[in-house]
Amino acid sequence: MNQGKYVFSQLTGYLPQRVFDGFVKKHDGNRYVKHFTCWNQLLCMLFGQLTNRESLRDLIVALDAHSG
């Protein structure tokens, strides 16, 4: 039984989201975004790296498995 935060949540706690949002705003990264923001993309790519995914298709399958 989980008693605290998941490891992924603990690791992303060290990422300074305000600094990242500043970079995104500076470069207008979310200009044409409807729902999948730069922050969401960063978290997906980080998840792919930490779980050693070999392709984007593999990453999508893993994310769909965890969507519930």
Side-chain angles (χ1 to χ4, degrees):
M1 191 60 99
N2 184 18
Q3 299 295 326
K5 293 168 123 183
Y6 291 109
V7 174
F8 185 72
S9 177
Q10 292 175 13
L11 289 173
T12 57
Y14 290 109
L15 295 175
Q17 186 174 359
R18 294 178 69 194
V19 174
F20 182 80
D21 287 340
F23 292 139
V24 171
K25 188 174 183 179
K26 178 182 175 185
H27 297 286
D28 206 14
N30 287 330
R31 180 182 221 170
Y32 299 111
V33 173
K34 295 197 187 311
H35 66 277
F36 194 70
T37 63
C38 290
W39 180 252
N40 291 337
Q41 185 175 0
L42 174 70
L43 293 179
C44 288
M45 293 294 116
L46 180 64
F47 179 77
Q49 286 290 316
L50 292 174
T51 57
N52 198 23
R53 300 295 165 190
E54 295 181 2
S55 66
L56 283 175
R57 185 173 300 205
D58 189 19
L59 178 59
I60 290 169
V61 169
L63 290 173
D64 283 343
H66 290 285
S67 66

